[in-house]
Amino acid sequence: MGRTYKQLCLEERCEIARLSAGGSSIRQIAAALDRPPSTISRELNRNSGVQVGYKPSYAQQQMRARRWTGSRLEREPGLRRAVLERLGRGWSPEQVAGRLAREHGRRVISYESIYRFIYAQLTRTSDFSWRRYLPRGKSKRGRRGKRGGSPASFIEGRVSLDQRPIEVADRKTPGHWEADLMMFSKYGQQILAVHERTSRLLLGVPLASKLASGVAHHLVRLFEVLPQPIRRTVTFDNGTEFAAHLSLQSLLIKTFFCDPHAPWQKGGIENAIGRMRRFIPRNTDLEKLPTRRLRKSIAAYNNTPRKCLDFKTPTEVFAAQVLHFECESTSRLSPGRQCAGDDSGQGVRRVEPEGRLRGGPT
């Protein structure tokens, strides 16, 4: 009679791992699975990882890898010629797979198999001309990393968020701000947005460019009209447009920066910009946006009740909790009024609660 052999299945491999971890011997495991001891011994020797030991999923992967006989494009020269000929025309793997399926009335090959075949050739032959068969011409899968490291390395005097005063985190102390740029689809259009953490008040100034010197100039103009107790710190991300942040030291404002690739650490301004997208979408052309509409959009945000403020508006909280500081500088900003960026780029003026500029066009 012929001798038959049945491969171990995943369930049996799970049982081997459990019994082996429990200290059972090879013969005990073999008896429990009704398998020859040599089968268990071979399984443990061949499919155990150096660092992870014997793991059922890893053992299953090892078994499949040994049984792999190459991709279809390696086994079928005719199919390989058909695929490469179409790739040579500039078709993407997905287009090639879809067209072949249409011509044959069934799926012939998946686009994933084509990608794997091309990248396998790059790895095995080190012939990087194979990447020209792909629409993007990439020699590796995934996103390409940015060169030069994080922009944080180009910011002089950068202080990490870890060193920011603990009192900033609970949002109970006024005078701590966050700043970012609200970007738009058209190149060169952006709004400098500044957000007060306690009241959630938002200020906005359209910018003609992202030059660090210009951004710093507008930040100084925004904050210089405020009394000293409510201009304590500002938190930025690591964009180089904030590289001239040291200019704020003239106003005794301390500046801090989020960790690289962690803009969520200044979540207040991120949330505010997201809310402003309801009024001013990303595809808005700022050159065609009326000045009055921009003012009304910022006023609408500042006069919308917020759950986090017990359904008060940022304007109300800013007036009641921030502008009550009695110091000499409050004479320039009366109680009951809010600040908004001068959309003409001339700095900051006083505005009525409805968002109308005092002394500006109506």
Side-chain angles (χ1 to χ4, degrees), residues 38-50:
S38 59
T39 298
I40 306 302
S41 176
R42 182 170 55 249
E43 174 68 16
L44 291 173
N45 290 333
R46 297 175 70 187
N47 295 329
S48 293
V50 176

Side-chain angles (χ1 to χ4, degrees), residues 74-351:
E74 291 178 322
R75 300 194 308 268
E76 302 180 19
L79 178 60
R80 181 171 65 249
R81 285 193 297 269
V83 169
L84 294 181
E85 188 270 333
R86 288 168 170 80
L87 289 176
R89 296 185 204 170
W91 294 18
S92 69
E94 187 174 22
Q95 291 169 332
V96 172
R99 185 65 178 182
L100 288 174
R102 182 179 181 85
E103 292 175 353
H104 292 79
R106 59 179 176 81
R107 192 176 80 164
V108 178
I109 191 170
S110 69
Y111 66 86
E112 179 63 23
S113 295
I114 299 175
Y115 273 113
R116 288 181 178 179
F117 171 76
I118 297 298
Y119 285 117
Q121 303 311 308
L122 286 168
T123 301
R124 294 169 186 169
T125 66
S126 297
D127 181 2
F128 290 94
S129 63
W130 280 94
R131 66 185 178 88
R132 304 195 183 279
Y133 281 113
L134 299 176
R136 297 284 182 180
K138 294 164 56 176
S139 58
K140 291 184 179 180
R141 305 195 77 166
R143 296 183 179 180
R144 290 173 173 166
K146 295 182 178 180
R147 297 181 179 179
S150 170
S153 59
F154 300 99
I155 300 177
E156 181 183 359
R158 177 184 177 276
V159 179
S160 175
L161 196 70
D162 296 338
Q163 302 181 39
R164 193 175 65 175
I166 300 178
E167 66 181 21
V168 182
D170 60 14
R171 295 180 180 269
K172 294 181 179 180
T173 304
H176 301 289
W177 301 76
E178 298 171 350
D180 201 356
L181 294 187
M182 183 177 179
M183 306 301 297
F184 293 87
S185 300
K186 190 172 181 180
Y187 179 78
Q189 293 188 350
Q190 53 271 318
I191 292 176
L192 173 61
V194 182
H195 185 261
E196 204 275 319
R197 287 177 57 86
T198 300
S199 65
R200 277 72 171 182
L201 189 83
L202 180 68
L203 317 181
V205 181
L207 300 179
S209 74
K210 293 171 57 177
L211 289 177
S213 57
V215 173
H217 170 75
H218 284 290
L219 285 171
V220 170
R221 296 293 299 274
L222 278 170
F223 287 121
E224 66 182 356
V225 299
L226 301 177
Q228 183 59 48
I230 55 174
R231 57 183 197 206
R232 303 172 187 268
T233 70
V234 184
T235 302
F236 305 102
D237 59 23
N238 292 284
T240 53
E241 60 269 17
F242 301 117
H245 65 101
L246 296 178
S247 300
L248 294 175
Q249 290 184 350
S250 62
L251 301 178
L252 302 181
I253 298 176
K254 297 181 180 180
T255 55
F256 300 91
F257 289 82
C258 300
D259 297 331
H261 314 297
W264 50 267
Q265 293 178 336
K266 53 177 182 56
I269 187 63
E270 297 289 335
N271 178 269
I273 291 176
R275 290 173 176 267
M276 284 296 296
R277 295 292 185 194
R278 305 173 187 176
F279 310 111
I280 311 175
R282 182 177 291 273
N283 60 0
T284 302
D285 186 349
L286 291 185
E287 294 180 353
K288 299 180 181 179
L289 182 70
T291 301
R292 175 171 292 185
R293 179 181 168 187
L294 175 60
R295 296 172 183 166
K296 287 184 176 180
S297 298
I298 297 176
Y301 173 91
N302 287 328
N303 287 281
T304 299
R306 301 288 299 276
K307 180 180 180 180
C308 58
L309 301 176
D310 195 22
F311 296 102
K312 296 179 181 179
T313 69
T315 298
E316 293 170 341
V317 176
F318 190 74
Q321 298 185 10
V322 179
L323 293 185
H324 75 284
F325 289 103
E326 294 187 9
C327 56
E328 185 178 355
S329 59
T330 54
S331 61
R332 299 186 61 186
L333 198 62
S334 303
R337 305 182 187 277
Q338 70 184 56
C339 293
D342 176 7
D343 35 60
S344 64
Q346 299 301 318
V348 176
R349 305 180 199 175
R350 290 186 295 168
V351 300

Side-chain angles (χ1 to χ4, degrees), residues 15 18-19 26-35:
E15 186 67 9
R18 185 183 70 82
L19 294 174
I26 290 178
R27 291 188 177 277
Q28 290 173 333
I29 297 173
L33 297 178
D34 193 21
R35 290 278 192 170

